[in-house]
Short mmCIF file of all heavy atoms in Angstrom, two decimals:
data_model
loop_
_atom_site.label_atom_id
_atom_site.label_comp_id
_atom_site.label_asym_id
_atom_site.label_seq_id
_atom_site.Cartn_x
_atom_site.Cartn_y
_atom_site.Cartn_z
N GLY A 27 132.23 -106.77 138.80
CA GLY A 27 132.84 -106.38 137.54
C GLY A 27 132.90 -107.46 136.49
O GLY A 27 133.35 -107.22 135.37
N LYS A 28 132.44 -108.67 136.80
CA LYS A 28 132.45 -109.77 135.84
C LYS A 28 131.04 -109.98 135.32
O LYS A 28 130.11 -110.19 136.10
CB LYS A 28 132.97 -111.05 136.49
CG LYS A 28 134.41 -110.94 136.94
CD LYS A 28 134.86 -112.21 137.61
CE LYS A 28 136.25 -112.01 138.17
NZ LYS A 28 136.65 -113.08 139.04
N ARG A 29 130.89 -109.97 133.99
CA ARG A 29 129.58 -110.13 133.37
C ARG A 29 129.10 -111.57 133.53
O ARG A 29 129.84 -112.52 133.31
CB ARG A 29 129.65 -109.77 131.89
CG ARG A 29 128.28 -109.82 131.26
CD ARG A 29 128.17 -108.92 130.07
NE ARG A 29 126.78 -108.87 129.64
CZ ARG A 29 126.40 -108.96 128.41
NH1 ARG A 29 127.30 -109.04 127.45
NH2 ARG A 29 125.13 -108.93 128.10
N VAL A 30 127.83 -111.72 133.91
CA VAL A 30 127.20 -113.03 134.02
C VAL A 30 126.68 -113.40 132.63
O VAL A 30 126.08 -112.57 131.94
CB VAL A 30 126.03 -112.99 135.03
CG1 VAL A 30 125.30 -114.32 135.09
CG2 VAL A 30 126.53 -112.59 136.41
N ASP A 31 126.91 -114.63 132.21
CA ASP A 31 126.44 -115.11 130.91
C ASP A 31 124.93 -114.91 130.83
O ASP A 31 124.19 -115.45 131.66
CB ASP A 31 126.79 -116.59 130.75
CG ASP A 31 126.27 -117.22 129.47
OD1 ASP A 31 125.74 -116.49 128.60
OD2 ASP A 31 126.40 -118.45 129.33
N PRO A 32 124.44 -114.14 129.84
CA PRO A 32 123.00 -113.84 129.75
C PRO A 32 122.13 -115.10 129.64
O PRO A 32 121.00 -115.12 130.11
CB PRO A 32 122.86 -112.99 128.49
CG PRO A 32 124.22 -112.54 128.14
CD PRO A 32 125.19 -113.49 128.77
N GLY A 33 122.64 -116.16 129.03
CA GLY A 33 121.86 -117.39 128.89
C GLY A 33 121.79 -118.21 130.16
O GLY A 33 121.03 -119.17 130.24
N ALA A 34 122.54 -117.83 131.18
CA ALA A 34 122.59 -118.61 132.42
C ALA A 34 121.45 -118.27 133.37
O ALA A 34 121.20 -119.00 134.31
CB ALA A 34 123.93 -118.40 133.12
N LEU A 35 120.75 -117.17 133.11
CA LEU A 35 119.73 -116.72 134.05
C LEU A 35 118.37 -116.55 133.38
O LEU A 35 118.29 -116.17 132.22
CB LEU A 35 120.14 -115.37 134.66
CG LEU A 35 121.46 -115.35 135.43
CD1 LEU A 35 121.80 -113.94 135.83
CD2 LEU A 35 121.40 -116.26 136.63
N SER A 36 117.31 -116.84 134.13
CA SER A 36 115.96 -116.62 133.62
C SER A 36 115.33 -115.38 134.26
O SER A 36 114.29 -114.93 133.83
CB SER A 36 115.07 -117.83 133.88
OG SER A 36 114.89 -118.01 135.26
N GLY A 37 115.95 -114.85 135.28
CA GLY A 37 115.41 -113.66 135.93
C GLY A 37 116.12 -113.37 137.23
O GLY A 37 117.08 -114.05 137.61
N TYR A 38 115.65 -112.33 137.91
CA TYR A 38 116.24 -111.94 139.19
C TYR A 38 115.21 -111.14 139.97
O TYR A 38 114.23 -110.64 139.41
CB TYR A 38 117.50 -111.10 138.98
CG TYR A 38 117.27 -109.84 138.17
CD1 TYR A 38 116.87 -108.66 138.78
CD2 TYR A 38 117.46 -109.85 136.80
CE1 TYR A 38 116.65 -107.53 138.04
CE2 TYR A 38 117.24 -108.71 136.05
CZ TYR A 38 116.83 -107.54 136.68
OH TYR A 38 116.60 -106.41 135.94
N THR A 39 115.42 -111.05 141.27
CA THR A 39 114.62 -110.15 142.11
C THR A 39 115.57 -109.34 142.97
O THR A 39 116.65 -109.82 143.34
CB THR A 39 113.63 -110.91 143.03
OG1 THR A 39 114.36 -111.80 143.87
CG2 THR A 39 112.60 -111.67 142.23
N LEU A 40 115.17 -108.12 143.27
CA LEU A 40 115.93 -107.25 144.16
C LEU A 40 115.03 -106.87 145.33
O LEU A 40 113.87 -106.52 145.12
CB LEU A 40 116.36 -105.97 143.43
CG LEU A 40 117.32 -106.14 142.27
CD1 LEU A 40 117.47 -104.82 141.53
CD2 LEU A 40 118.66 -106.63 142.75
N THR A 41 115.56 -106.98 146.52
CA THR A 41 114.83 -106.53 147.71
C THR A 41 115.75 -105.68 148.55
O THR A 41 116.98 -105.83 148.51
CB THR A 41 114.31 -107.71 148.56
OG1 THR A 41 115.42 -108.54 148.94
CG2 THR A 41 113.29 -108.53 147.80
N HIS A 42 115.16 -104.77 149.31
CA HIS A 42 115.97 -103.92 150.19
C HIS A 42 115.12 -103.56 151.40
O HIS A 42 114.02 -103.03 151.25
CB HIS A 42 116.40 -102.66 149.44
CG HIS A 42 117.36 -101.83 150.23
ND1 HIS A 42 117.51 -100.49 150.03
CD2 HIS A 42 118.22 -102.16 151.22
CE1 HIS A 42 118.42 -100.02 150.87
NE2 HIS A 42 118.85 -101.01 151.60
N ARG A 43 115.61 -103.89 152.57
CA ARG A 43 114.94 -103.55 153.82
C ARG A 43 115.79 -102.55 154.58
O ARG A 43 117.02 -102.63 154.54
CB ARG A 43 114.74 -104.80 154.68
CG ARG A 43 113.83 -105.80 154.02
CD ARG A 43 113.77 -107.07 154.81
NE ARG A 43 113.11 -108.08 154.03
CZ ARG A 43 112.11 -108.80 154.46
NH1 ARG A 43 111.68 -108.67 155.69
NH2 ARG A 43 111.55 -109.69 153.68
N GLU A 44 115.13 -101.65 155.25
CA GLU A 44 115.82 -100.62 156.01
C GLU A 44 116.81 -101.27 156.98
O GLU A 44 116.50 -102.24 157.66
CB GLU A 44 114.82 -99.78 156.79
CG GLU A 44 115.45 -98.60 157.49
CD GLU A 44 114.42 -97.72 158.16
OE1 GLU A 44 113.21 -97.88 157.92
OE2 GLU A 44 114.84 -96.87 158.94
N GLY A 45 118.02 -100.72 157.01
CA GLY A 45 119.05 -101.22 157.91
C GLY A 45 119.83 -102.41 157.38
O GLY A 45 120.73 -102.91 158.04
N GLU A 46 119.47 -102.90 156.20
CA GLU A 46 120.16 -104.04 155.61
C GLU A 46 120.61 -103.68 154.20
O GLU A 46 119.99 -102.84 153.55
CB GLU A 46 119.24 -105.26 155.54
CG GLU A 46 118.79 -105.77 156.88
CD GLU A 46 117.89 -106.99 156.76
OE1 GLU A 46 117.84 -107.60 155.68
OE2 GLU A 46 117.24 -107.34 157.76
N PRO A 47 121.65 -104.35 153.71
CA PRO A 47 122.04 -104.10 152.33
C PRO A 47 121.01 -104.71 151.38
O PRO A 47 120.29 -105.63 151.75
CB PRO A 47 123.39 -104.81 152.19
CG PRO A 47 123.39 -105.84 153.26
CD PRO A 47 122.53 -105.30 154.38
N PRO A 48 120.91 -104.20 150.15
CA PRO A 48 120.00 -104.81 149.17
C PRO A 48 120.39 -106.26 148.93
O PRO A 48 121.54 -106.65 149.11
CB PRO A 48 120.23 -103.99 147.90
CG PRO A 48 120.85 -102.72 148.36
CD PRO A 48 121.63 -103.06 149.58
N GLN A 49 119.41 -107.07 148.55
CA GLN A 49 119.67 -108.47 148.24
C GLN A 49 119.18 -108.74 146.83
O GLN A 49 118.07 -108.38 146.45
CB GLN A 49 118.94 -109.40 149.21
CG GLN A 49 119.21 -110.86 148.92
CD GLN A 49 118.59 -111.78 149.95
OE1 GLN A 49 117.76 -111.37 150.75
NE2 GLN A 49 118.99 -113.03 149.93
N ALA A 50 120.03 -109.39 146.03
CA ALA A 50 119.66 -109.79 144.67
C ALA A 50 119.58 -111.31 144.65
O ALA A 50 120.47 -111.99 145.15
CB ALA A 50 120.72 -109.33 143.68
N VAL A 51 118.49 -111.83 144.08
CA VAL A 51 118.34 -113.27 143.88
C VAL A 51 118.31 -113.49 142.38
O VAL A 51 117.49 -112.92 141.68
CB VAL A 51 117.06 -113.81 144.54
CG1 VAL A 51 116.93 -115.31 144.30
CG2 VAL A 51 117.06 -113.52 146.04
N LEU A 52 119.24 -114.29 141.88
CA LEU A 52 119.34 -114.59 140.46
C LEU A 52 118.77 -115.97 140.21
O LEU A 52 119.09 -116.92 140.92
CB LEU A 52 120.81 -114.55 140.01
CG LEU A 52 121.58 -113.28 140.38
CD1 LEU A 52 123.03 -113.40 139.95
CD2 LEU A 52 120.94 -112.05 139.78
N TYR A 53 117.89 -116.08 139.20
CA TYR A 53 117.24 -117.35 138.87
C TYR A 53 117.89 -117.97 137.65
O TYR A 53 118.08 -117.31 136.64
CB TYR A 53 115.75 -117.15 138.64
CG TYR A 53 115.04 -116.66 139.87
CD1 TYR A 53 114.85 -115.30 140.10
CD2 TYR A 53 114.59 -117.55 140.83
CE1 TYR A 53 114.22 -114.86 141.24
CE2 TYR A 53 113.96 -117.11 141.98
CZ TYR A 53 113.78 -115.76 142.18
OH TYR A 53 113.16 -115.32 143.32
N SER A 54 118.21 -119.26 137.72
CA SER A 54 118.85 -119.97 136.63
C SER A 54 118.01 -120.01 135.35
O SER A 54 116.82 -120.25 135.45
CB SER A 54 119.13 -121.41 137.01
OG SER A 54 119.56 -121.54 138.29
N GLY A 55 118.66 -119.89 133.91
CA GLY A 55 118.24 -120.09 132.50
C GLY A 55 117.43 -119.05 131.86
O GLY A 55 117.34 -118.60 130.91
N ASP A 56 115.19 -114.94 130.67
CA ASP A 56 114.85 -113.66 130.21
C ASP A 56 114.89 -112.70 131.38
O ASP A 56 114.89 -113.13 132.51
CB ASP A 56 113.51 -113.73 129.61
CG ASP A 56 113.52 -114.61 128.39
OD1 ASP A 56 114.53 -115.20 127.99
OD2 ASP A 56 112.45 -114.63 127.85
N TYR A 57 114.87 -111.67 131.19
CA TYR A 57 115.10 -110.64 132.16
C TYR A 57 113.94 -109.67 132.30
O TYR A 57 113.15 -109.48 131.40
CB TYR A 57 116.38 -109.88 131.81
CG TYR A 57 117.59 -110.78 131.78
CD1 TYR A 57 118.12 -111.21 130.58
CD2 TYR A 57 118.14 -111.25 132.96
CE1 TYR A 57 119.20 -112.06 130.56
CE2 TYR A 57 119.22 -112.11 132.94
CZ TYR A 57 119.75 -112.50 131.74
OH TYR A 57 120.81 -113.33 131.72
N VAL A 58 113.89 -108.98 133.41
CA VAL A 58 112.86 -108.00 133.72
C VAL A 58 113.47 -106.61 133.50
O VAL A 58 114.65 -106.41 133.74
CB VAL A 58 112.43 -108.15 135.21
CG1 VAL A 58 111.43 -107.10 135.60
CG2 VAL A 58 111.91 -109.55 135.45
N ASP A 59 112.66 -105.65 133.01
CA ASP A 59 113.18 -104.29 132.82
C ASP A 59 113.50 -103.67 134.17
O ASP A 59 112.63 -103.50 135.00
CB ASP A 59 112.16 -103.42 132.11
CG ASP A 59 111.98 -103.79 130.66
OD1 ASP A 59 112.93 -104.34 130.08
OD2 ASP A 59 110.91 -103.53 130.12
N SER A 60 114.77 -103.36 134.38
CA SER A 60 115.18 -102.76 135.64
C SER A 60 116.63 -102.34 135.54
O SER A 60 117.38 -102.87 134.72
CB SER A 60 115.02 -103.76 136.79
OG SER A 60 115.38 -103.17 138.00
N VAL A 61 117.04 -101.37 136.35
CA VAL A 61 118.44 -100.99 136.45
C VAL A 61 118.77 -100.87 137.92
O VAL A 61 118.03 -100.25 138.68
CB VAL A 61 118.71 -99.64 135.74
CG1 VAL A 61 120.15 -99.21 135.97
CG2 VAL A 61 118.43 -99.75 134.26
N PHE A 62 119.86 -101.50 138.35
CA PHE A 62 120.30 -101.41 139.73
C PHE A 62 121.82 -101.39 139.72
O PHE A 62 122.46 -102.11 138.97
CB PHE A 62 119.84 -102.63 140.55
CG PHE A 62 120.43 -102.65 141.94
CD1 PHE A 62 119.86 -101.90 142.94
CD2 PHE A 62 121.56 -103.40 142.21
CE1 PHE A 62 120.42 -101.91 144.21
CE2 PHE A 62 122.12 -103.40 143.47
CZ PHE A 62 121.54 -102.66 144.48
N GLU A 63 122.39 -100.53 140.54
CA GLU A 63 123.83 -100.50 140.67
C GLU A 63 124.15 -100.19 142.12
O GLU A 63 123.57 -99.28 142.71
CB GLU A 63 124.43 -99.41 139.76
CG GLU A 63 125.95 -99.39 139.81
CD GLU A 63 126.53 -98.42 138.79
OE1 GLU A 63 125.79 -97.94 137.92
OE2 GLU A 63 127.73 -98.17 138.89
N GLY A 64 125.01 -100.98 142.73
CA GLY A 64 125.37 -100.76 144.12
C GLY A 64 125.87 -102.04 144.76
O GLY A 64 126.18 -103.01 144.07
N LEU A 65 125.96 -102.05 146.08
CA LEU A 65 126.39 -103.23 146.81
C LEU A 65 125.17 -104.02 147.24
O LEU A 65 124.18 -103.46 147.67
CB LEU A 65 127.20 -102.84 148.04
CG LEU A 65 128.55 -102.16 147.78
CD1 LEU A 65 129.19 -101.76 149.10
CD2 LEU A 65 129.46 -103.08 147.00
N ALA A 66 125.25 -105.34 147.09
CA ALA A 66 124.14 -106.19 147.49
C ALA A 66 124.67 -107.56 147.88
O ALA A 66 125.73 -107.97 147.43
CB ALA A 66 123.13 -106.34 146.34
N ARG A 67 123.94 -108.25 148.73
CA ARG A 67 124.22 -109.65 149.02
C ARG A 67 123.60 -110.43 147.88
O ARG A 67 122.43 -110.25 147.57
CB ARG A 67 123.60 -110.04 150.36
CG ARG A 67 123.89 -111.47 150.74
CD ARG A 67 123.55 -111.75 152.20
NE ARG A 67 124.65 -111.30 153.04
CZ ARG A 67 124.63 -110.22 153.81
NH1 ARG A 67 123.56 -109.48 153.87
NH2 ARG A 67 125.67 -109.88 154.53
N VAL A 68 124.36 -111.27 147.20
CA VAL A 68 123.89 -111.96 146.01
C VAL A 68 123.68 -113.43 146.31
O VAL A 68 124.55 -114.10 146.87
CB VAL A 68 124.91 -111.82 144.84
CG1 VAL A 68 124.45 -112.59 143.61
CG2 VAL A 68 125.12 -110.35 144.50
N SER A 69 122.50 -113.94 145.96
CA SER A 69 122.17 -115.36 146.12
C SER A 69 121.72 -115.88 144.77
O SER A 69 121.04 -115.18 144.03
CB SER A 69 121.02 -115.54 147.12
OG SER A 69 121.32 -114.94 148.35
N VAL A 70 122.09 -117.09 144.44
CA VAL A 70 121.63 -117.72 143.21
C VAL A 70 120.65 -118.81 143.63
O VAL A 70 120.95 -119.64 144.48
CB VAL A 70 122.79 -118.31 142.39
CG1 VAL A 70 122.28 -119.00 141.15
CG2 VAL A 70 123.78 -117.20 142.03
N ALA A 71 119.45 -118.78 143.06
CA ALA A 71 118.40 -119.71 143.49
C ALA A 71 117.84 -120.47 142.30
O ALA A 71 117.83 -119.98 141.18
CB ALA A 71 117.27 -118.94 144.16
N ASP A 72 117.38 -121.67 142.55
CA ASP A 72 116.65 -122.43 141.55
C ASP A 72 115.17 -122.18 141.77
O ASP A 72 114.73 -121.98 142.90
CB ASP A 72 116.92 -123.94 141.72
CG ASP A 72 118.34 -124.31 141.30
OD1 ASP A 72 118.86 -123.69 140.37
OD2 ASP A 72 118.91 -125.24 141.93
N LEU A 73 114.39 -122.21 140.69
CA LEU A 73 112.95 -122.09 140.84
C LEU A 73 112.43 -123.29 141.61
O LEU A 73 112.92 -124.41 141.43
CB LEU A 73 112.28 -122.00 139.47
CG LEU A 73 112.60 -120.73 138.68
CD1 LEU A 73 111.98 -120.81 137.29
CD2 LEU A 73 112.07 -119.51 139.41
N PRO A 74 111.44 -123.09 142.48
CA PRO A 74 110.94 -124.21 143.27
C PRO A 74 110.28 -125.27 142.39
O PRO A 74 109.70 -124.97 141.35
CB PRO A 74 109.91 -123.57 144.21
CG PRO A 74 109.58 -122.26 143.60
CD PRO A 74 110.76 -121.84 142.75
N ASP A 75 110.40 -126.51 142.82
CA ASP A 75 109.78 -127.64 142.12
C ASP A 75 108.27 -127.57 142.33
O ASP A 75 107.80 -127.59 143.48
CB ASP A 75 110.35 -128.94 142.69
CG ASP A 75 109.74 -130.19 142.08
OD1 ASP A 75 109.00 -130.07 141.08
OD2 ASP A 75 110.02 -131.28 142.59
N PRO A 76 107.47 -127.47 141.26
CA PRO A 76 106.02 -127.37 141.44
C PRO A 76 105.37 -128.70 141.81
O PRO A 76 104.20 -128.73 142.19
CB PRO A 76 105.53 -126.90 140.06
CG PRO A 76 106.54 -127.44 139.11
CD PRO A 76 107.86 -127.40 139.86
N GLY A 77 106.10 -129.80 141.73
CA GLY A 77 105.53 -131.12 141.99
C GLY A 77 104.85 -131.27 143.34
O GLY A 77 103.69 -131.71 143.40
N PRO A 78 105.51 -130.93 144.45
CA PRO A 78 104.87 -131.11 145.75
C PRO A 78 103.58 -130.29 145.91
O PRO A 78 102.59 -130.80 146.43
CB PRO A 78 105.95 -130.64 146.75
CG PRO A 78 107.24 -130.90 146.04
CD PRO A 78 106.94 -130.59 144.59
N ALA A 79 103.57 -129.05 145.43
CA ALA A 79 102.36 -128.23 145.54
C ALA A 79 101.25 -128.82 144.66
O ALA A 79 100.09 -128.84 145.06
CB ALA A 79 102.64 -126.79 145.13
N ALA A 80 101.62 -129.31 143.47
CA ALA A 80 100.62 -129.93 142.59
C ALA A 80 100.05 -131.18 143.24
O ALA A 80 98.84 -131.44 143.16
CB ALA A 80 101.24 -130.25 141.24
N ALA A 81 100.89 -131.96 143.90
CA ALA A 81 100.44 -133.19 144.54
C ALA A 81 99.44 -132.87 145.66
O ALA A 81 98.41 -133.55 145.80
CB ALA A 81 101.62 -133.97 145.10
N VAL A 82 99.71 -131.83 146.44
CA VAL A 82 98.79 -131.44 147.51
C VAL A 82 97.46 -131.00 146.92
O VAL A 82 96.39 -131.40 147.38
CB VAL A 82 99.41 -130.32 148.39
CG1 VAL A 82 98.38 -129.72 149.33
CG2 VAL A 82 100.60 -130.86 149.17
#
Side-chain angles (χ1 to χ4, degrees):
K28 296 178 186 169
R29 184 153 188 225
V30 176
D31 176 7
L35 300 174
S36 66
Y38 58 87
T39 59
L40 296 171
T41 57
H42 187 205
R43 296 174 191 231
E44 186 176 349
E46 297 181 15
Q49 181 175 14
V51 179
L52 308 177
Y53 296 93
S54 320
D56 295 2
Y57 300 103
V58 177
D59 289 333
S60 182
V61 175
F62 173 82
E63 183 174 348
L65 294 177
R67 182 167 278 107
V68 178
S69 305
V70 178
D72 289 326
L73 293 175
D75 178 9
V82 169

